[in-house]
Amino acid sequence: MTGTAAALIFLLAQFALEQWQERQTYILSARLSSQEITTELCTSMSRFTGFEKLWTVMETEVTLMVEDWQISTTLMGVDLETFPFTPVRSAGEKKLGSAPLLLVGEEIFNSMTDANGTAITTRQSKILIESMESLTAQIVLEASNFVSSSGSAGNSDGSGYTSADTAEFLGLVSGDGLYMDADQMRTWLAGHGSSVSVHLVCLQIKGQSNAETAEKSLTDAGFQVGIE
């Protein structure tokens, strides 16, 4: 093969790769810690070239306790019907009621510890995952996020947390996230005299160049941006 032919094949392969990248969709996470992400800001983001979808994400710090195991993590309130999860396992059909319903990332179970800080074993984690259909959990809102109607810190048990609420699992997803339906999360937080504002959104953008342009625009505007 001549050098010219090899160069031509390389250029054709590069062109094919670029064309493939421009047909793919990318998820950007954009965080604005300094202020709330308003509806107006979301509308501005929807004007990015290649924009397809946007999800707002509410966040609050909690402790999740399952049997003898626990983990402190961030609970995220999202639209469970449309948010781009990667499903791993269903925990069966559950009705949305007063009890919190959770989607949990598989790494959450793998990262739990007992009250003494001893890490869960692979076998113990697997047992929890395999019993998700009947498994219940306790979810505890950090007292620092709990404000009574008078504006003062709410009642806690002295451990830095409010009282626990019984929760059930909807299923397992990939990653290390913990998720609740956004509307249910607002209701649950309101029951503890608390609320959250939106500081994180996820955007779906079609085309690598469009995603990179959106990433630069958001970064220049003061957002912390991740892309996948």
Side-chain angles (χ1 to χ4, degrees):
M1 181 183 295
T2 66
T4 301
L8 179 59
I9 291 173
F10 174 79
L11 290 174
L12 289 173
Q14 184 69 21
F15 176 76
L17 174 62
E18 291 173 356
Q19 292 298 303
W20 177 83
Q21 289 172 333
E22 293 308 312
R23 292 193 298 269
Q24 302 308 300
T25 56
Y26 297 83
I27 302 296
L28 277 69
S29 60
R31 179 180 298 280
L32 189 62
S33 301
S34 59
Q35 66 185 79
E36 181 177 6
I37 299 177
T38 62
T39 301
E40 290 74 19
L41 282 174
C42 290
T43 299
S44 297
M45 295 180 206
S46 70
R47 300 191 182 103
F48 287 132
T49 302
F51 172 87
E52 293 186 336
K53 295 178 182 177
L54 180 147
W55 299 270
T56 58
V57 182
M58 297 186 299
E59 301 171 293
T60 193
E61 299 305 308
V62 299
T63 293
L64 177 69
M65 297 178 289
V66 185
E67 296 188 347
D68 296 327
W69 307 99
Q70 63 185 27
I71 186 170
S72 295
T73 188
T74 301
L75 174 66
M76 293 175 279
V78 299
D79 183 339
L80 294 182
E81 293 185 359
T82 64
F83 196 77
F85 305 109
T86 301
V88 174
R89 180 188 179 98
S90 171
E93 185 175 349
K94 305 286 175 68
K95 291 184 178 181
L96 190 64
S98 57
L101 297 178
L102 306 171
L103 273 178
V104 59
E106 54 192 337
E107 294 305 318
I108 290 283
F109 284 119
N110 296 333
S111 302
M112 286 184 156
T113 65
D114 65 14
N116 296 318
T118 303
I120 194 170
T121 66
T122 300
R123 177 178 174 276
Q124 290 164 330
S125 174
K126 184 178 180 180
I127 290 173
L128 292 182
I129 290 172
E130 290 179 345
S131 60
M132 284 185 66
E133 288 81 357
S134 58
L135 203 61
T136 59
Q138 299 293 312
I139 186 169
V140 187
L141 181 66
E142 283 193 5
S144 60
N145 294 325
F146 173 63
V147 179
S148 68
S149 58
S150 65
S152 60
N155 294 328
S156 73
D157 59 6
S159 64
Y161 297 94
T162 63
S163 58
D165 292 294
T166 300
E168 297 181 353
F169 294 108
L170 285 170
L172 191 72
V173 295
S174 64
D176 58 0
L178 180 66
Y179 307 92
M180 184 187 293
D181 173 79
D183 288 336
Q184 186 179 50
M185 183 169 168
R186 289 189 189 95
T187 301
W188 178 66
L189 289 171
H192 288 282
S194 184
S195 63
V196 292
S197 55
V198 173
H199 292 273
L200 174 67
V201 296
C202 293
L203 300 92
Q204 181 173 302
I205 304 286
K206 184 173 184 179
Q208 184 181 46
S209 60
N210 292 331
E212 290 173 348
T213 298
E215 179 185 24
K216 184 178 185 306
S217 296
L218 289 166
T219 301
D220 290 346
F223 286 83
Q224 297 170 287
V225 185
I227 184 170
E228 59 182 69

